[in-house]
């Protein structure tokens, strides 16, 4: 009986990996053509831009003259039964002049924020310290082609503030024209 009892946790772990892979398959492919795609898993659930508040729901901006090259990604979506809950994220890095890996940190130029108007305050906005006590991850730029006007990359980060659940952004990818 013990061997079967020991195999149960392993089976559950393997099942979770399969479910995560199936969810990741719902995301757009990680391309580098300026396809205008964005997707990630937020706490294990597929997340993509949706809706329109009068401004585009996915924007990539790059300023080569600010802080040695500043890249920012902004996106939002509407969700909920009446499409009345706003969720959004902003992340970016400085000193970006070519493709590479950039750390997302708690304090500094490379950061990430997340908003979800569904939960009540303070758990609806993961912004800046001192409320935000943990922000860590990476922002990888796989293509920064200023002549073609294309930026592509991947991202993963975790945000936390006391009294609220962590926000785990995983398997993120974007491909956008500047």
């Amino acid at each position: 009986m013990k061997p079967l009892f020991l195999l149960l946790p392993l089976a559950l772990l393997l099942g979770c990996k399969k479910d995560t892979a199936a969810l990741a398959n719902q995301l757009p492919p990680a391309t580098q053509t300026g396809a205008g795609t964005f997707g990630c898993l937020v706490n294990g659930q597929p997340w993509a831009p949706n809706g329109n508040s009068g401004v585009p729901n996915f924007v990539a901006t790059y300023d080569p003259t600010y802080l040695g090259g500043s890249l920012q990604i902004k996106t939002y979506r509407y969700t909920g039964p009446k499409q009345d809950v706003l969720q959004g994220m902003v992340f970016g890095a400085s000193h970006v002049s070519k493709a590479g890996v950039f750390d997302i940190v708690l304090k500094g130029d490379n950061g990430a924020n997340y908003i979800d108007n569904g939960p009540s305050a303070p758990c609806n906005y993961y912004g800046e310290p001192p409320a935000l006590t943990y922000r860590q991850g990476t922002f990888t730029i796989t293509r920064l082609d200023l002549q073609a006007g294309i930026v592509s990359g991947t991202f993963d980060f975790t945000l936390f503030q006391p009294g609220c659940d962590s926000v785990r952004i995983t398997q993120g990818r974007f491909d956008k024209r500047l």
Side-chain angles (χ1 to χ4, degrees):
M1 191 73 141
K2 283 186 181 180
L4 184 59
F5 178 71
L6 293 174
L7 290 176
L8 184 60
L10 179 61
L12 290 173
L13 282 174
L14 292 174
C16 290
K17 271 192 169 184
K18 187 176 181 182
D19 291 344
T20 302
L23 291 171
N25 286 336
Q26 295 178 32
L27 300 176
T31 57
Q32 297 183 15
T33 61
T37 56
F38 181 99
C40 62
L41 298 178
V42 175
N43 294 335
Q45 296 302 309
W47 197 102
N50 180 44
N52 190 313
S53 67
V55 297
N57 61 20
F58 172 35
V59 177
T61 57
Y62 179 71
D63 184 345
T65 65
Y66 184 70
L67 294 173
S70 178
L71 178 63
Q72 188 174 69
I73 306 296
K74 297 179 184 180
T75 184
Y76 68 88
R77 74 178 190 170
Y78 286 98
T79 187
K82 296 180 182 177
Q83 296 291 297
D84 58 349
V85 176
L86 175 67
Q87 298 173 330
M89 65 183 81
V90 177
F91 57 92
S94 60
H95 305 287
V96 175
S97 60
K98 60 183 178 180
V101 179
F102 302 85
D103 290 328
I104 294 174
V105 296
L106 183 60
K107 295 181 182 178
D109 296 329
N110 300 355
N113 299 338
Y114 181 77
I115 187 169
D116 181 346
N117 286 340
S120 58
C123 300
N124 60 343
Y125 179 63
Y126 294 73
E128 300 296 328
L132 186 70
T133 60
Y134 184 87
R135 174 171 45 206
Q136 189 171 8
T138 57
F139 176 34
T140 303
I141 300 167
T142 55
R143 180 176 183 190
L144 178 61
D145 186 335
L146 299 181
Q147 281 191 306
I150 295 173
V151 63
S152 305
T154 61
F155 56 94
D156 290 274
F157 56 87
T158 300
L159 307 172
F160 176 76
Q161 52 197 30
C164 304
D165 291 335
S166 294
V167 175
R168 293 170 315 283
I169 312 290
T170 58
Q171 299 186 42
R173 70 271 319 257
F174 65 92
D175 184 16
K176 186 76 171 160
R177 292 205 172 269
L178 295 170

